[in-house]
Coordinates of all heavy atoms in Angstrom, one line a residue:
M30 N 0.8 -1.2 0.0 CA 0.0 0.0 0.0 C 0.9 1.2 0.0 O 1.7 1.4 0.9 CB -0.9 0.0 1.2 CG -2.1 0.9 1.1 SD -3.2 0.7 2.5 CE -2.9 2.1 3.5
P31 N 0.7 2.1 -1.0 CA 1.6 3.3 -1.0 C 1.3 4.3 0.1 O 0.1 4.4 0.5 CB 1.4 3.9 -2.4 CG 0.0 3.4 -2.8 CD -0.2 2.1 -2.1
D32 N 2.3 5.0 0.5 CA 2.1 6.1 1.5 C 1.4 7.3 0.7 O 1.8 7.6 -0.4 CB 3.4 6.6 2.1 CG 3.9 5.5 3.1 OD1 3.1 4.9 3.8 OD2 5.1 5.3 3.1
N33 N 0.6 8.0 1.4 CA 0.1 9.2 0.9 C 1.0 10.4 1.2 O 1.4 10.5 2.4 CB -1.3 9.6 1.4 CG -2.3 8.6 1.0 OD1 -2.3 8.1 -0.2 ND2 -3.2 8.2 1.9
P34 N 1.4 11.2 0.2 CA 2.3 12.3 0.6 C 1.6 13.3 1.4 O 0.4 13.5 1.3 CB 2.7 12.8 -0.8 CG 1.7 12.4 -1.7 CD 1.1 11.1 -1.2
P35 N 2.3 14.1 2.2 CA 1.7 15.2 3.0 C 1.0 16.2 2.0 O 1.6 16.5 1.0 CB 2.8 15.8 3.7 CG 3.9 14.8 3.8 CD 3.7 14.0 2.5
P36 N -0.1 16.7 2.4 CA -0.9 17.6 1.5 C -0.2 18.9 1.3 O -0.3 19.5 0.2 CB -2.2 17.7 2.2 CG -2.0 17.3 3.6 CD -0.9 16.3 3.6
H37 N 0.4 19.5 2.3 CA 1.0 20.8 2.2 C 2.4 20.7 2.7 O 2.6 20.9 3.9 CB 0.2 21.8 2.9 CG -1.2 22.0 2.3 ND1 -1.4 22.4 1.0 CD2 -2.4 21.7 2.8 CE1 -2.7 22.5 0.8 NE2 -3.3 22.0 1.9
G38 N 3.4 20.6 2.0 CA 4.7 20.5 2.5 C 5.4 21.8 2.3 O 4.9 22.8 1.8
P39 N 6.6 21.9 2.9 CA 7.4 23.2 2.7 C 7.8 23.3 1.2 O 7.6 22.4 0.4 CB 8.6 22.9 3.6 CG 8.7 21.5 3.8 CD 7.3 21.0 3.7
A40 N 8.5 24.4 0.9 CA 8.9 24.7 -0.4 C 9.7 23.6 -1.0 O 9.6 23.1 -2.1 CB 9.6 26.0 -0.5
D41 N 10.6 23.1 -0.2 CA 11.5 21.9 -0.6 C 10.7 20.7 -0.1 O 10.6 20.4 1.1 CB 12.8 22.0 0.1 CG 13.7 20.8 -0.3 OD1 13.2 19.9 -1.0 OD2 14.9 20.8 0.0
P42 N 10.2 19.9 -1.0 CA 9.4 18.8 -0.6 C 10.2 17.7 0.1 O 9.6 16.8 0.8 CB 8.8 18.2 -1.9 CG 9.8 18.7 -2.9 CD 10.3 20.0 -2.5
T43 N 11.5 17.8 0.1 CA 12.3 16.7 0.8 C 12.8 17.2 2.1 O 13.4 16.5 2.9 CB 13.4 16.2 0.0 OG1 14.4 17.3 -0.2 CG2 13.0 15.7 -1.4
A44 N 12.5 18.5 2.5 CA 13.0 19.1 3.7 C 12.2 18.6 4.9 O 11.0 18.7 4.9 CB 13.1 20.6 3.7
C45 N 12.8 18.1 6.0 CA 12.1 17.8 7.2 C 11.7 19.1 7.9 O 12.5 20.0 8.0 CB 13.0 17.0 8.1 SG 12.2 16.7 9.7
P46 N 10.4 19.3 8.3 CA 10.0 20.5 9.0 C 10.5 20.6 10.4 O 10.4 21.7 11.0 CB 8.5 20.4 9.0 CG 8.2 18.9 9.0 CD 9.3 18.3 8.2
G47 N 11.2 19.6 10.9 CA 11.7 19.6 12.3 C 13.0 20.4 12.4 O 13.5 21.0 11.4
P48 N 13.6 20.3 13.6 CA 14.7 21.1 13.9 C 16.1 20.5 13.4 O 17.1 21.0 13.6 CB 14.7 21.2 15.5 CG 14.1 19.9 15.8 CD 13.0 19.6 14.8
C49 N 15.9 19.3 12.8 CA 17.2 18.6 12.4 C 17.9 19.2 11.2 O 19.1 19.0 11.0 CB 16.8 17.1 12.1 SG 15.6 17.0 10.8
G50 N 17.1 19.9 10.4 CA 17.7 20.4 9.1 C 18.0 19.3 8.1 O 18.7 19.5 7.1
G51 N 17.4 18.1 8.3 CA 17.6 17.0 7.5 C 16.5 16.9 6.4 O 15.7 17.8 6.2
T52 N 16.5 15.7 5.8 CA 15.5 15.5 4.7 C 14.6 14.4 5.2 O 15.0 13.5 6.0 CB 16.2 15.1 3.4 OG1 17.0 13.9 3.6 CG2 17.1 16.2 2.9
R53 N 13.5 14.3 4.6 CA 12.5 13.3 4.9 C 12.3 12.3 3.7 O 12.4 12.8 2.6 CB 11.2 13.9 5.4 CG 10.5 14.6 4.2 CD 9.2 15.3 4.7 NE 8.6 16.0 3.6 CZ 7.6 16.8 3.7 NH1 7.1 17.1 4.9 NH2 7.0 17.4 2.6
P54 N 12.0 11.1 4.0 CA 11.7 10.2 2.9 C 10.5 10.6 2.2 O 9.6 11.2 2.7 CB 11.6 8.8 3.6 CG 12.1 9.0 5.0 CD 11.9 10.5 5.3
P55 N 10.4 10.2 0.9 CA 9.2 10.5 0.1 C 7.9 9.9 0.8 O 7.9 8.8 1.3 CB 9.4 9.8 -1.2 CG 10.9 9.6 -1.3 CD 11.4 9.5 0.1
G56 N 6.9 10.7 0.9 CA 5.6 10.3 1.5 C 5.6 10.3 3.0 O 4.6 9.9 3.6
K57 N 6.7 10.8 3.7 CA 6.6 10.9 5.1 C 6.5 12.4 5.6 O 7.0 13.3 4.9 CB 7.9 10.3 5.7 CG 8.2 8.9 5.3 CD 7.1 8.0 5.9 CE 7.4 6.5 5.5 NZ 6.4 5.6 6.0
Y58 N 6.0 12.6 6.7 CA 5.8 13.9 7.3 C 7.2 14.5 7.7 O 7.4 15.7 7.5 CB 4.9 13.9 8.5 CG 3.4 13.7 8.2 CD1 2.7 12.8 8.9 CD2 2.8 14.4 7.2 CE1 1.4 12.5 8.7 CE2 1.5 14.2 6.9 CZ 0.8 13.3 7.7 OH -0.6 13.0 7.4
V59 N 8.0 13.7 8.4 CA 9.2 14.1 8.9 C 10.3 13.1 8.7 O 10.0 11.9 8.2 CB 9.1 14.4 10.4 CG1 8.2 15.6 10.7 CG2 8.8 13.2 11.2
C60 N 11.6 13.4 9.0 CA 12.6 12.4 8.8 C 12.5 11.4 9.9 O 11.9 11.6 11.0 CB 14.0 13.1 8.9 SG 14.4 13.7 10.5
P61 N 13.2 10.2 9.8 CA 13.1 9.2 10.8 C 13.6 9.7 12.2 O 13.1 9.2 13.2 CB 14.0 8.1 10.2 CG 14.0 8.3 8.8 CD 13.9 9.8 8.6
S62 N 14.6 10.5 12.2 CA 15.1 11.0 13.5 C 14.1 11.8 14.3 O 13.8 11.5 15.4 CB 16.3 11.9 13.2 OG 16.7 12.6 14.4
C63 N 13.4 12.7 13.6 CA 12.3 13.5 14.3 C 11.2 12.6 14.6 O 10.5 12.7 15.7 CB 11.9 14.6 13.4 SG 13.1 15.9 13.2
W64 N 10.8 11.7 13.7 CA 9.7 10.8 13.9 C 9.8 10.0 15.2 O 8.9 9.9 16.0 CB 9.5 9.9 12.7 CG 8.4 8.9 12.8 CD1 8.4 7.6 13.0 CD2 7.0 9.2 12.6 NE1 7.2 7.1 13.0 CE2 6.3 8.0 12.7 CE3 6.3 10.4 12.3 CZ2 4.9 8.0 12.6 CZ3 4.9 10.4 12.2 CH2 4.2 9.2 12.3
H65 N 11.0 9.5 15.4 CA 11.2 8.6 16.5 C 11.4 9.4 17.8 O 11.4 8.8 18.9 CB 12.4 7.7 16.3 CG 12.1 6.6 15.3 ND1 11.2 5.6 15.5 CD2 12.5 6.5 14.0 CE1 11.1 4.9 14.4 NE2 11.9 5.4 13.5
R66 N 11.5 10.7 17.7 CA 11.6 11.5 18.9 C 10.2 12.0 19.4 O 10.0 12.5 20.4 CB 12.5 12.7 18.7 CG 14.0 12.3 18.7 CD 14.8 13.5 18.2 NE 14.8 14.6 19.1 CZ 15.2 15.8 18.9 NH1 15.7 16.1 17.7 NH2 15.2 16.8 19.7
M67 N 9.2 11.8 18.5 CA 7.8 12.2 18.9 C 7.2 11.1 19.7 O 7.6 9.9 19.6 CB 7.0 12.5 17.6 CG 7.5 13.7 16.9 SD 6.3 14.3 15.6 CE 6.5 13.1 14.4
T68 N 6.2 11.5 20.5 CA 5.6 10.4 21.4 C 4.8 9.4 20.5 O 4.4 9.7 19.4 CB 4.6 11.1 22.4 OG1 3.5 11.7 21.7 CG2 5.3 12.2 23.2
L69 N 4.6 8.3 21.1 CA 3.8 7.3 20.5 C 2.4 7.8 20.1 O 1.8 7.4 19.1 CB 3.7 6.0 21.3 CG 5.0 5.2 21.4 CD1 4.8 4.1 22.5 CD2 5.3 4.6 20.1
V70 N 1.8 8.5 21.0 CA 0.5 9.0 20.8 C 0.5 10.0 19.6 O -0.4 9.9 18.7 CB -0.1 9.8 22.1 CG1 -1.3 10.5 21.8 CG2 -0.3 8.8 23.2
T71 N 1.4 10.9 19.6 CA 1.5 11.8 18.4 C 1.7 11.1 17.1 O 1.0 11.4 16.1 CB 2.6 12.8 18.7 OG1 2.3 13.6 19.8 CG2 2.8 13.8 17.5
R72 N 2.5 10.1 17.2 CA 2.8 9.3 15.9 C 1.5 8.6 15.5 O 1.2 8.5 14.3 CB 3.9 8.3 16.2 CG 5.3 9.0 16.1 CD 6.4 8.0 16.1 NE 6.9 7.8 17.4 CZ 7.7 6.8 17.8 NH1 8.0 5.9 16.9 NH2 8.2 6.7 19.0
A73 N 0.8 8.0 16.5 CA -0.4 7.3 16.1 C -1.4 8.2 15.5 O -2.1 7.8 14.5 CB -1.0 6.6 17.4
Y74 N -1.6 9.4 16.0 CA -2.5 10.3 15.4 C -2.1 10.7 14.0 O -2.9 10.9 13.1 CB -2.7 11.6 16.3 CG -3.3 11.3 17.7 CD1 -3.3 12.3 18.6 CD2 -3.8 10.1 18.0 CE1 -3.9 12.1 19.9 CE2 -4.4 9.9 19.2 CZ -4.4 10.9 20.2 OH -5.0 10.7 21.4
L75 N -0.8 11.0 13.9 CA -0.3 11.5 12.6 C -0.5 10.4 11.5 O -0.6 10.7 10.3 CB 1.2 11.9 12.7 CG 1.4 13.2 13.3 CD1 2.9 13.4 13.6 CD2 0.9 14.3 12.5
K76 N -0.5 9.1 11.9 CA -0.7 8.0 11.0 C -2.1 7.9 10.5 O -2.4 7.2 9.5 CB -0.2 6.7 11.6 CG 1.4 6.6 11.5 CD 1.8 5.2 11.8 CE 2.3 5.1 13.2 NZ 2.9 3.8 13.6
K77 N -3.0 8.4 11.2 CA -4.4 8.3 10.8 C -4.7 9.0 9.5 O -4.3 10.2 9.4 CB -5.4 8.9 11.9 CG -5.5 8.0 13.1 CD -6.0 8.7 14.3 CE -7.5 9.1 14.1 NZ -8.4 8.0 14.4
Q78 N -5.4 8.4 8.6 CA -5.7 9.0 7.3 C -7.2 9.3 7.3 O -8.0 8.6 6.7 CB -5.3 8.1 6.2 CG -3.8 7.9 6.0 CD -3.1 9.1 5.6 OE1 -3.7 9.9 4.8 NE2 -1.9 9.3 6.0
D79 N -7.6 10.4 8.0 CA -9.0 10.8 8.0 C -9.1 12.3 7.6 O -8.1 12.8 7.1 CB -9.6 10.5 9.4 CG -8.9 11.3 10.5 OD1 -8.1 12.2 10.2 OD2 -9.1 10.9 11.7
D80 N -10.2 12.9 7.8 CA -10.4 14.2 7.3 C -9.6 15.3 8.1 O -9.6 16.4 7.7 CB -11.9 14.6 7.2 CG -12.5 14.6 8.6 OD1 -12.0 14.0 9.5 OD2 -13.6 15.3 8.7
L81 N -9.0 14.9 9.2 CA -8.2 15.8 9.9 C -6.7 15.6 9.7 O -5.9 16.3 10.3 CB -8.4 15.6 11.4 CG -9.8 16.0 12.0 CD1 -9.9 15.6 13.4 CD2 -9.9 17.5 11.8
A82 N -6.3 14.8 8.7 CA -4.9 14.5 8.5 C -4.2 15.8 8.1 O -3.0 16.1 8.5 CB -4.7 13.4 7.4
I83 N -4.8 16.6 7.2 CA -4.2 17.9 6.8 C -4.0 18.8 8.0 O -2.9 19.4 8.1 CB -5.1 18.6 5.7 CG1 -5.1 17.7 4.4 CG2 -4.6 20.0 5.4 CD1 -6.1 18.2 3.4
E84 N -5.0 18.9 8.9 CA -4.9 19.8 10.0 C -3.8 19.3 11.0 O -3.1 20.1 11.6 CB -6.2 20.0 10.7 CG -7.1 20.9 9.9 CD -8.6 20.7 10.1 OE1 -8.9 20.4 11.3 OE2 -9.4 20.8 9.2
R85 N -3.7 18.0 11.1 CA -2.6 17.5 12.0 C -1.3 17.9 11.5 O -0.4 18.3 12.2 CB -2.7 16.0 12.2 CG -3.9 15.5 12.9 CD -3.7 14.0 13.3 NE -5.0 13.5 13.8 CZ -5.9 12.9 13.0 NH1 -5.7 12.7 11.8 NH2 -7.1 12.6 13.5
Y86 N -1.1 17.7 10.2 CA 0.2 18.1 9.6 C 0.5 19.6 9.7 O 1.6 20.0 10.0 CB 0.2 17.7 8.1 CG 1.5 18.0 7.4 CD1 2.7 17.4 7.8 CD2 1.6 19.0 6.4 CE1 3.9 17.7 7.3 CE2 2.8 19.3 5.8 CZ 4.0 18.7 6.3 OH 5.2 19.0 5.7
Q87 N -0.5 20.4 9.5 CA -0.3 21.8 9.7 C 0.0 22.2 11.2 O 0.9 23.0 11.4 CB -1.6 22.6 9.3 CG -1.8 22.5 7.8 CD -3.2 23.1 7.3 OE1 -4.1 23.2 8.1 NE2 -3.3 23.4 6.0
Q88 N -0.6 21.4 12.1 CA -0.2 21.7 13.5 C 1.3 21.3 13.8 O 2.0 21.9 14.5 CB -1.1 20.8 14.4 CG -2.5 21.3 14.5 CD -3.4 20.5 15.4 OE1 -3.1 19.3 15.7 NE2 -4.4 21.1 15.9
L89 N 1.7 20.2 13.1 CA 3.0 19.7 13.3 C 4.0 20.8 12.8 O 5.0 21.1 13.4 CB 3.2 18.4 12.5 CG 4.5 17.8 12.4 CD1 5.0 17.2 13.7 CD2 4.5 16.7 11.3
V90 N 3.8 21.3 11.6 CA 4.7 22.2 11.0 C 4.6 23.5 11.8 O 5.7 24.2 12.0 CB 4.2 22.5 9.5 CG1 5.0 23.7 8.9 CG2 4.5 21.3 8.7
E91 N 3.5 23.9 12.2 CA 3.3 25.2 13.0 C 4.2 25.1 14.3 O 4.8 26.0 14.7 CB 1.9 25.5 13.3 CG 1.6 26.8 13.9 CD 1.6 26.8 15.4 OE1 1.3 25.7 16.0 OE2 1.9 27.8 16.0
Q92 N 4.1 23.9 15.0 CA 4.8 23.8 16.2 C 6.3 23.7 16.0 O 7.1 24.3 16.7 CB 4.3 22.5 17.0 CG 2.9 22.8 17.6 CD 2.3 21.5 18.1 OE1 2.7 21.0 19.1 NE2 1.3 21.0 17.4
F93 N 6.7 23.0 15.0 CA 8.1 23.0 14.6 C 8.6 24.4 14.3 O 9.7 24.8 14.6 CB 8.4 22.1 13.4 CG 8.6 20.6 13.8 CD1 8.1 19.6 13.0 CD2 9.3 20.3 14.9 CE1 8.3 18.3 13.3 CE2 9.5 18.9 15.3 CZ 9.0 17.9 14.4
G94 N 7.7 25.2 13.6 CA 8.1 26.6 13.3 C 8.3 27.4 14.5 O 9.1 28.4 14.5
R95 N 7.6 27.1 15.6 CA 7.8 27.8 16.9 C 8.9 27.3 17.7 O 9.2 27.7 18.8 CB 6.5 27.7 17.7 CG 5.4 28.6 17.1 CD 4.2 28.8 18.1 NE 3.4 27.6 18.2 CZ 3.2 26.8 19.2 NH1 3.9 27.0 20.3 NH2 2.4 25.8 19.2
G96 N 9.6 26.2 17.2 CA 10.7 25.7 17.9 C 10.4 24.6 19.0 O 11.2 24.3 19.8
V97 N 9.2 24.1 18.9 CA 8.8 23.0 19.8 C 9.6 21.8 19.5 O 9.6 21.4 18.3 CB 7.2 22.8 19.7 CG1 6.8 21.6 20.6 CG2 6.4 24.0 20.0
P98 N 10.2 21.2 20.4 CA 11.0 19.9 20.1 C 10.0 18.8 19.8 O 8.9 18.7 20.2 CB 11.7 19.7 21.4 CG 11.0 20.4 22.5 CD 10.3 21.6 21.8
P99 N 10.5 17.8 19.0 CA 9.7 16.7 18.5 C 9.0 16.0 19.7 O 7.8 15.6 19.5 CB 10.7 15.8 17.8 CG 11.7 16.7 17.3 CD 11.9 17.8 18.4
C100 N 9.6 15.8 20.8 CA 9.0 15.1 21.9 C 7.9 15.8 22.5 O 7.1 15.2 23.3 CB 10.1 14.8 23.0 SG 10.8 16.2 23.7
E101 N 7.7 17.1 22.3 CA 6.6 17.9 22.8 C 5.5 18.2 21.8 O 4.6 19.0 22.1 CB 7.1 19.2 23.5 CG 8.0 18.8 24.7 CD 8.6 20.1 25.3 OE1 8.1 21.2 25.0 OE2 9.5 19.9 26.1
I102 N 5.7 17.8 20.6 CA 4.7 18.0 19.6 C 3.3 17.3 19.9 O 3.3 16.2 20.4 CB 5.1 17.5 18.2 CG1 6.4 18.2 17.7 CG2 4.0 17.6 17.2 CD1 6.2 19.7 17.3
R103 N 2.3 18.1 19.8 CA 0.9 17.5 20.1 C 0.0 17.8 18.9 O 0.0 18.9 18.4 CB 0.3 18.1 21.4 CG 1.1 17.9 22.6 CD 1.0 16.4 23.1 NE 1.7 16.2 24.3 CZ 2.9 15.9 24.5 NH1 3.7 15.8 23.4 NH2 3.5 15.8 25.6
V104 N -0.7 16.9 18.5 CA -1.7 17.1 17.4 C -3.1 16.6 17.9 O -3.2 15.8 18.8 CB -1.3 16.4 16.1 CG1 0.0 17.0 15.6 CG2 -1.2 14.9 16.3
I105 N -4.1 17.1 17.2 CA -5.5 16.7 17.6 C -5.8 15.2 17.2 O -5.2 14.7 16.2 CB -6.5 17.6 17.0 CG1 -6.4 17.7 15.5 CG2 -6.5 18.9 17.7 CD1 -7.6 18.4 14.8
R106 N -6.6 14.6 17.9 CA -7.0 13.3 17.6 C -8.3 13.3 16.8 O -8.5 12.5 15.9 CB -7.3 12.4 18.9 CG -7.8 11.0 18.6 CD -8.1 10.4 20.0 NE -9.1 11.1 20.7 CZ -9.3 11.0 22.0 NH1 -8.6 10.2 22.7 NH2 -10.2 11.7 22.6
S107 N -9.3 14.2 17.2 CA -10.6 14.1 16.6 C -11.2 15.5 16.5 O -10.7 16.5 17.1 CB -11.5 13.3 17.5 OG -11.7 13.9 18.8
R108 N -12.2 15.6 15.7 CA -12.9 16.9 15.6 C -13.5 17.4 16.9 O -13.5 18.5 17.3 CB -14.0 16.8 14.6 CG -14.8 18.0 14.3 CD -13.9 19.1 13.5 NE -13.6 18.6 12.2 CZ -12.8 19.3 11.4 NH1 -12.2 20.4 11.8 NH2 -12.5 18.8 10.2
W109 N -13.9 16.4 17.7 CA -14.4 16.7 19.1 C -13.3 17.4 19.9 O -13.6 18.4 20.5 CB -14.8 15.4 19.7 CG -15.3 15.5 21.1 CD1 -16.6 15.8 21.5 CD2 -14.6 15.4 22.3 NE1 -16.7 15.9 22.9 CE2 -15.5 15.6 23.4 CE3 -13.3 15.1 22.6 CZ2 -15.1 15.5 24.7 CZ3 -12.9 15.0 24.0 CH2 -13.8 15.3 25.0
E110 N -12.1 16.9 19.9 CA -11.0 17.5 20.6 C -10.7 18.9 20.1 O -10.4 19.8 20.8 CB -9.8 16.6 20.5 CG -8.8 16.9 21.5 CD -7.7 15.8 21.5 OE1 -6.8 15.9 20.6 OE2 -7.7 14.9 22.3
W111 N -10.8 19.0 18.7 CA -10.5 20.3 18.1 C -11.5 21.3 18.6 O -11.1 22.4 19.0 CB -10.7 20.1 16.6 CG -10.6 21.3 15.7 CD1 -11.6 22.1 15.3 CD2 -9.4 21.8 15.1 NE1 -11.1 23.1 14.5 CE2 -9.8 23.0 14.4 CE3 -8.1 21.5 15.2 CZ2 -8.8 23.7 13.7 CZ3 -7.1 22.3 14.5 CH2 -7.5 23.4 13.8
D112 N -12.8 21.0 18.6 CA -13.8 21.9 19.0 C -13.6 22.4 20.5 O -13.9 23.5 20.8 CB -15.2 21.3 18.9 CG -15.6 21.1 17.4 OD1 -15.0 21.8 16.6 OD2 -16.5 20.3 17.1
R113 N -13.1 21.5 21.3 CA -12.9 21.8 22.7 C -11.6 22.5 22.9 O -11.2 22.8 24.1 CB -13.0 20.5 23.5 CG -14.4 20.0 23.6 CD -14.4 18.6 24.3 NE -13.8 18.7 25.7 CZ -14.5 18.9 26.8 NH1 -15.8 19.0 26.7 NH2 -14.0 18.9 27.9
G114 N -10.8 22.7 21.9 CA -9.5 23.3 22.1 C -8.5 22.4 22.6 O -7.5 22.9 23.2
G115 N -8.7 21.1 22.5 CA -7.7 20.2 23.0 C -6.4 20.2 22.2 O -6.3 20.8 21.2
A116 N -5.4 19.6 22.8 CA -4.1 19.5 22.1 C -3.4 20.9 21.9 O -2.6 21.1 21.1 CB -4.2 18.8 20.8
R117 N -3.9 21.9 22.7 CA -3.3 23.2 22.6 C -2.5 23.5 23.8 O -2.9 23.1 24.9 CB -4.4 24.3 22.4 CG -5.0 24.2 21.0 CD -4.1 24.8 20.0 NE -4.7 24.7 18.6 CZ -4.0 25.0 17.6 NH1 -2.8 25.5 17.6 NH2 -4.6 24.9 16.4
Ligands
LIG10 ZN1 13.8 15.8 11.1

């Protein structure tokens, strides 16, 4: 089963959005180094392919842009959590 590429990547599609300055494999959100530094919960949510996948990726990039380390990245699980302002 092929991976779905992230819907909105940075200008360089191979650049990892994390603090590593590295590159990410095709079809992945981040490089393996950053991926393995994120929590299991965050990784599990990011792997979900539902209608919030784009928003989770945008949250990931936004937090990396603010200098949040990979281990502290949080993304929403569900629309319910989004409405309640969870994961903020
Ligand atoms: Zn990285």
Side-chain angles (χ1 to χ4, degrees):
M30 196 171 106
D32 288 322
N33 292 322
H37 297 295
D41 179 354
T43 65
C45 174
C49 61
T52 59
R53 64 182 182 191
K57 301 295 182 186
Y58 290 132
V59 297
C60 72
S62 169
C63 293
W64 181 255
H65 290 291
R66 289 171 63 195
M67 292 194 286
T68 67
L69 286 174
V70 170
T71 296
R72 283 189 263 167
Y74 293 172
L75 285 170
K76 280 194 259 189
K77 286 164 67 80
Q78 293 290 328
D79 58 17
D80 65 337
L81 289 174
I83 292 173
E84 282 156 39
R85 290 193 193 94
Y86 179 65
Q87 289 171 342
Q88 291 182 332
L89 176 71
V90 171
E91 187 270 332
Q92 288 171 73
F93 274 144
R95 285 192 283 114
V97 177
C100 61
E101 294 178 14
I102 296 289
R103 297 288 183 274
V104 295
I105 52 166
R106 176 185 60 199
S107 65
R108 184 69 66 185
W109 179 85
E110 195 173 79
W111 174 267
D112 290 341
R113 289 173 57 94
R117 289 284 176 184

